[in-house]
Amino acid sequence: MTAPDPLPDPAPATDKQRIAAGVRDSFSAGLGIFPLGIALGLLVIQAGLPWWLAPALSLSAFAGSLELLLVGMVAAVTPLASIALTVLVVNFRHVFYAFSFPLHLVRSPFAKAYAVYAMIDEAYAVNASLPEAERSAPRMLAMQIACEVYWVGGGLIGVALGAALPGPIKGLEFALCALFTVLTLDAFRSRHEVPSVLLAGASVTVALVLTPGVALFTALLLFVALLLARHALNPRCPARRVAEEAADA
């Protein structure tokens, strides 16, 4: 009795299939990005600012947490130096994303520049959950473009709703905190890294007590220092894993 012939290897995915997969990947993040964009549009109208500021912020500073902060700062006529410092502190976390975000997959300089520009929290979280063998430039870029469409489209809808509603809506500021909480829980479930969660919690606690004005900046630096110390005490932990844990924070 002869052994059955082995099954042929599946055909490699085409660029069209990879783009379709990237759009599907964006759906889970879009459930949070789209309502958050609506919240941004509503906040712009409720702050008495012109409607075009919502898409302008969405395109020039594609980072949800920063844009929500900028609405209040613009409304309060905050000095430009204070705005610049806030941008640095809030977006400083993106430095850690570059440690493990697969930018090497993107060959075109223009496409790579866009991938850097659109490297938001949600895009990083979605890409980190994919097996390395399934990652590709078309899939990643399609997911990032879809996420930006959700964000800009949500902002325009929020502007329209804000102009139509008779009064302001309270509690919109919590939308961003809720989204980050969901992303953190998803990352924990996929990696089961209890020590990293405990180190992150300790970093945030110390930062809130010692430097409440720049707690995010301090917590990130402290968390990286603790991860490096953990790596030094546990040489079996690969260096790349330390970078991924820092970016997941």
Side-chain angles (χ1 to χ4, degrees):
M1 182 176 180
T2 59
D5 295 333
L7 294 176
D9 293 334
T14 64
D15 284 347
K16 184 177 181 180
Q17 290 172 326
R18 294 189 182 102
I19 292 173
V23 174
R24 288 194 299 270
D25 293 339
S26 72
F27 290 161
S28 58
L31 292 175
I33 296 175
F34 186 70
L36 196 60
I38 294 177
L40 172 67
L42 286 169
L43 285 175
V44 167
I45 297 301
Q46 291 177 181
L49 299 171
W51 70 268
W52 51 261
L53 188 64
L57 285 176
S58 298
L59 294 172
S60 62
F62 184 31
S65 55
L66 174 64
E67 291 169 54
L68 293 173
L69 287 174
L70 286 179
V71 170
M73 299 183 77
V74 172
V77 197
T78 305
L80 186 59
S82 298
I83 293 178
L85 179 61
T86 300
V87 171
L88 173 64
V89 172
V90 174
N91 278 357
F92 184 75
R93 67 187 188 279
H94 289 188
V95 173
F96 302 102
Y97 292 167
F99 293 155
S100 55
F101 199 71
L103 293 173
H104 63 279
L105 297 175
V106 185
R107 302 300 181 186
S108 167
F110 176 79
K112 182 169 289 189
Y114 178 80
V116 172
Y117 154 77
M119 191 171 54
I120 59 173
D121 307 274
E122 296 81 1
Y124 179 87
V126 170
N127 184 80
S129 65
L130 294 176
E132 189 170 356
E134 297 182 12
R135 298 175 182 174
S136 66
R139 184 170 185 172
M140 183 176 71
L141 291 170
M143 180 265 294
Q144 290 182 289
I145 292 173
C147 287
E148 185 166 15
V149 170
Y150 302 147
W151 181 245
V152 177
L156 293 174
I157 292 178
V159 166
L161 289 175
L165 291 175
I169 299 177
K170 302 296 183 181
L172 291 175
E173 296 82 0
F174 185 72
L176 184 65
C177 180
L179 178 59
F180 282 152
T181 300
V182 171
L183 291 174
T184 301
L185 292 174
D186 285 343
F188 173 69
R189 281 198 295 264
S190 65
R191 296 182 180 272
H192 302 289
E193 275 288 343
V194 176
S196 296
V197 174
L198 295 177
L199 291 177
S203 302
V204 172
T205 302
V206 172
L208 288 173
V209 172
L210 297 181
T211 57
V214 287
L216 177 61
F217 187 77
T218 304
L220 283 171
L221 293 179
L222 182 58
F223 185 57
V224 170
L226 291 174
L227 287 178
L228 292 174
R230 179 187 173 194
H231 172 64
L233 295 174
N234 184 14
R236 293 174 299 175
C237 179
R240 182 177 179 181
R241 185 177 177 184
V242 175
E244 290 178 349
E245 290 173 341
D248 285 342

